[in-house]
Each structure stands twice: as C-alpha cells, then as structure tokens.
Amino acid sequence: MKHALKPSQYLILVAVMLTASIGDTLLSRGMAQVGAVDLHHLNLLWKALFNPFVISGIVLLIGFFASYMTALSWADLTFVMPATAFGYVVVALLSRFWLHEQLSLYRWTGIALIVCAVGFVAGGPSRTEHETDHHELDVMDSGAGR
Amino acid sequence: MKSATLLRTWSAIGGVAGIAVLGEVLIAAAMRRLGDLDDIRAKSGLPGAIRAVLSSPLFLVGALCMALNFFGMLYALSIVDLSLAAPAIASLTYIGNAVAAKIFLHENVDRRRWLAVVFVCVGVVLISR
C-alpha cells in the first residue's frame, strides 16, 4: 500500500482545494455581470471571455487543472474527490470569517459532513495498487535513482 | 415550475454532470497510465512533463470533455439558479465519479470511500442552502 504522502503532495492537494473554489466564485461573479446566455445569444459566451472576473476565474481554474492532474498521477480519483469537495468548506469559511456572513445550521452541518468525508478517505490508502502499477513504479524508481 | 422548464433544468444539470464524469475518468486513466508527474518533472523538467501529458490521447479526449463541461456549466448557470445548479451538478458528479472509478478504473472503492461520497453529496447540498 502506498499511502504516506510527501509534504509537496499535501501542498498539491491544498492547491486543488483552494484554486477550484475561488476560481468558481470568480466565474459565477463574472457571469452574473455578463447576463443570461441562451441558445439564441451564444455570442454572449464570447463576450464573457473578456470579463476580468471570468478571466481571473479561468486562470485559477487552469492552476486547478494542473494541480488536479498532478494529484491524479499519484492518487486514486476517489481519493482526490473529497479534496475537491473541501473547496466548498473553504468558500463557506471565507464568507464567515472574511465577509462576516452568518452561516446557517445547515451550512455548518454541510461543512462538518465534508470534513468527515475527507477524514474517512485520508485514513485509507491513496492508491489502488494494480499489477501494472508495480511494474511502472519499479521502472520509475530505478530511473529516479531512489 | 412548468414541466418543460423542469425538463430543461434537469437535462442541463444531468448533461453537465455526465460530461464532467466522462472527462474526469478519462483524465484519471491518462494520469494513472502516465505515472507520477513529479518523477517525470524531476527527470525531464516541466516541458517534459507537459509534453508527456499532452501526448496522451486519453488526456486529450478528457480535456475536450472538460472544455465542453466548462461551457456547458456557463450555459447551465445562465438558465438555472446557481443555488440549484451548483450543488446538483456537484453531487451528481461525485456519485458518477465513484461509480465510474469503480467500474472503469477498477479503483478499490471500499466502504469508507462510499461513505465519503454520501457525506460529500449531502454536505454539498446542505452547504449550498
């Protein structure tokens, strides 16, 4: 079982948590400015690409994509998934402690549930080992001289 | 809500979630086949790692799905309220991912991971209220 993550790998998971949630928030703010897009006004999607909120949202989502793919290269999809969900907790906590919004009991319960989910998964192995993986890891280990 | 609106709402939500699951599973499969990106970067630098990722056909199809998902999401958010679209798409994507990861990626989705999926889905819905 390959479970112990290196500090750099924890950093990648933190990046996955932060970039997705903040990027999505920026996007939804930008799209609210652009207005409703329907099949007859698809040109608005093009216009959206010039909105500063949409642009910064896209930049953060590219960062998310890079860190997400790095995480998937050494961990299972079902292991990384709760980390992406943790982004919701980040947004809720930011709105509570930075924007001083009141969080309802529902939201606190939601936060607790997602934190539990991360705990469940983090307690297990990060990767399902398959026969081919062993081979690939051996090859890479010899290559990296570890 | 009229049934036509309801149908449009949920087909947008289901469509976006379906494309997301397809994209994520393809990208996860591509990354698994590629091996540890940190090791590749240590050996052939960032350009080498980018080249390795971009030359994977699985990744390219997965990235295409993610791009479609991105525009689908913009479209969905313009016809459905964020407070419904975001948690509904997220929950469906998490469930779909877990099922697809078990079937197609042969991941060992044990009891604690199923429990995590359920907790995340309920949590996402509650947090968006």
Side-chain angles (χ1 to χ4, degrees):
Chain A
M1 294 279 196
K2 189 186 176 201
H3 178 220
L5 296 177
K6 290 177 277 185
S8 62
Q9 293 180 320
Y10 279 110
L11 271 183
I12 293 280
L13 289 177
V14 170
V16 167
M17 292 171 182
L18 294 181
T19 49
S21 48
I22 301 174
D24 277 342
T25 311
L26 288 169
L27 268 192
S28 75
R29 179 131 189 220
M31 286 314 286
Q33 290 180 347
V34 171
V37 178
D38 59 36
L39 284 179
H40 305 292
H41 297 89
L42 283 179
N43 58 322
L44 275 181
L45 287 182
W46 176 251
K47 199 183 142 206
L49 292 177
F50 296 96
N51 180 292
F53 283 108
V54 173
I55 293 172
S56 24
I58 290 175
V59 169
L60 276 181
L61 289 181
I62 290 174
F64 162 73
F65 214 52
S67 39
Y68 186 58
M69 285 190 307
T70 308
L72 284 179
S73 77
W74 37 254
D76 279 349
L77 179 59
T78 40
F79 180 84
V80 184
M81 238 164 46
T84 61
F86 198 80
Y88 290 92
V89 174
V90 173
V91 171
L93 292 181
L94 275 182
S95 65
R96 172 67 188 86
F97 293 105
W98 186 40
L99 303 176
H100 301 289
E101 290 174 7
Q102 287 301 316
L103 293 188
S104 65
L105 190 60
Y106 287 124
R107 291 205 163 173
W108 282 116
T109 315
I111 290 174
L113 286 178
I114 294 178
V115 170
C116 287
V118 172
F120 290 149
V121 171
S126 59
R127 188 82 187 240
T128 308
E129 296 294 359
H130 296 145
E131 284 309 308
T132 50
D133 284 353
H134 282 299
H135 175 66
E136 284 166 11
L137 287 174
D138 290 345
V139 169
M140 259 184 296
D141 278 352
S142 61
R146 272 195 282 152
Chain B
M1 209 185 284
K2 287 193 194 122
S3 62
T5 321
L6 208 63
L7 183 69
R8 196 169 71 140
T9 299
W10 285 99
S11 29
I13 289 173
V16 173
I19 298 170
V21 170
L22 186 64
E24 300 214 28
V25 167
L26 285 171
I27 287 175
M31 291 303 120
R32 174 177 277 276
R33 202 169 286 187
L34 217 59
D36 195 327
L37 269 188
D38 294 327
D39 288 343
I40 298 177
R41 217 179 48 210
K43 223 163 79 175
S44 38
L46 188 59
I50 293 176
R51 213 177 310 126
V53 170
L54 290 183
S55 59
S56 155
L58 277 179
F59 165 79
L60 292 178
V61 183
L64 182 71
C65 289
M66 290 308 223
L68 282 176
N69 168 258
F70 174 79
F71 286 106
M73 191 79 171
L74 290 186
Y75 171 68
L77 285 182
S78 71
I79 61 166
V80 185
D81 282 344
L82 178 67
S83 59
L84 172 65
I89 290 172
S91 302
L92 285 179
T93 306
Y94 286 125
I95 296 174
N97 271 346
V99 174
K102 181 157 182 70
I103 297 175
F104 299 111
L105 302 177
H106 309 292
E107 285 184 9
N108 177 23
V109 186
D110 54 9
R111 203 175 306 161
R112 71 170 106 209
R113 286 192 184 179
W114 283 122
L115 209 56
V117 170
V118 173
F119 271 50
V120 162
C121 288
V122 179
V124 165
V125 171
L126 286 177
I127 226 171
S128 321
R129 282 182 74 131

